[in-house]
Amino acid sequence: MVVLLALASVACGGPTREDYKAAATSAAAMADRDLHDRWVADRFVELARATSWAEWGPAATRITCEVDRASFFGQADPRTVSCVSSWVRQAGFDGELSDRIRAFDQIVRAHEWAGGAGSIAQPIDYYRQFRGRPDGPNRVYDASNLPGVGYSRQMGGTTDMGLAESWTEAGQPVLDHPEPSSDLFAHASGPNQHALITEQLTRHRYVMTLTVSTRQTYPTP
């Protein structure tokens, strides 16, 4: 299928697969990744300094790129590549989960991240209602089943960044965290998320996972 697509692109005068790979690894794309890496690292430091009650682990980076396709049938492909970059960091903590969610919400908002007015109400309410109920074979409902919380912020007034927050609870096997993949371009660095969460739960009741992400689009040569 990949060969057929490549031949079709050449026959129609469109970008080849190598053109798309070149866009994903272009100087502009690499410069953006370097800039974003440093910006996100600073944001993680800010949040870690404000959460003395949490033990923060190292960050991991995941980048995948895919060819953009036409939105509607009959429309020409845009001849661009979109790359999604994600930075993930975990923090182990103890105490009452609802109290920590409220406290971290105040910290995040104090550091210029915006979120819905009632964004933390649902996970707090679900945890109160459903924790401990059967949830599949040999499992019960816990913090890992809760709907996450999302925030957003702009970097430099032009780049949209998202911040997602989710949780895992000690007492049950950690659910799988599949790694993103792409047959065009993929990059991963840092610790395995599943292994890190499992290790942190040997010392803490909960682990909070933060994921900062952005999507950037690049033209083919």
Side-chain angles (χ1 to χ4, degrees):
M1 180 61 73
V2 170
V3 173
L4 292 176
L5 287 174
L7 291 174
S9 295
V10 172
C12 297
T16 66
R17 186 170 183 79
E18 292 307 311
D19 290 331
Y20 285 118
K21 286 186 177 181
T25 56
S26 64
M30 300 306 289
D32 280 347
R33 287 166 197 155
D34 181 63
L35 181 64
H36 298 161
D37 278 343
R38 288 184 277 112
W39 187 88
V40 172
D42 289 344
R43 303 293 78 76
F44 277 146
V45 169
E46 289 176 349
L47 297 176
R49 286 175 176 169
T51 48
S52 59
W53 40 267
E55 177 197 354
W56 289 82
T61 303
R62 306 289 185 263
I63 303 171
T64 56
C65 299
E66 299 291 351
V67 175
D68 294 321
R69 298 303 182 189
S71 302
F72 304 99
F73 180 76
Q75 187 180 45
D77 288 336
R79 302 188 177 198
T80 55
V81 167
S82 286
C83 299
V84 175
S85 299
S86 299
W87 299 263
V88 184
R89 197 170 177 189
Q90 277 86 19
F93 64 94
D94 298 290
E96 293 299 322
L97 180 60
S98 58
D99 292 340
R100 296 307 192 198
I101 292 175
R102 292 187 184 97
F104 194 70
D105 181 68
Q106 294 178 352
I107 291 168
V108 169
R109 293 176 188 275
H111 286 85
E112 302 180 29
W113 293 89
S119 59
I120 65 173
Q122 189 176 52
I124 289 174
D125 188 49
Y126 278 24
Y127 193 66
R128 178 183 58 81
Q129 290 187 61
F130 304 127
R131 182 174 184 262
R133 293 189 181 184
D135 187 69
N138 304 316
R139 289 194 68 88
V140 296
Y141 194 99
D142 69 0
S144 64
N145 299 106
L146 296 175
V149 178
Y151 304 89
S152 62
R153 180 176 173 177
Q154 280 203 326
M155 188 194 84
T158 57
T159 302
D160 292 327
M161 292 285 186
L163 172 64
E165 177 188 359
S166 60
W167 312 272
T168 310
E169 184 172 354
Q172 300 187 93
V174 177
L175 297 174
D176 287 334
H177 294 79
E179 295 287 345
S181 62
S182 168
D183 61 0
L184 180 68
F185 176 84
H187 168 78
S189 64
N192 176 272
Q193 186 177 355
H194 186 279
L196 182 59
I197 292 173
T198 300
E199 191 274 332
Q200 286 183 315
L201 287 175
T202 64
R203 298 187 302 278
H204 300 284
R205 183 179 176 187
Y206 302 103
V207 169
M208 171 175 63
T209 297
L210 294 185
T211 304
V212 177
S213 61
T214 188
R215 183 184 183 93
Q216 302 296 317
T217 299
Y218 303 100
T220 51

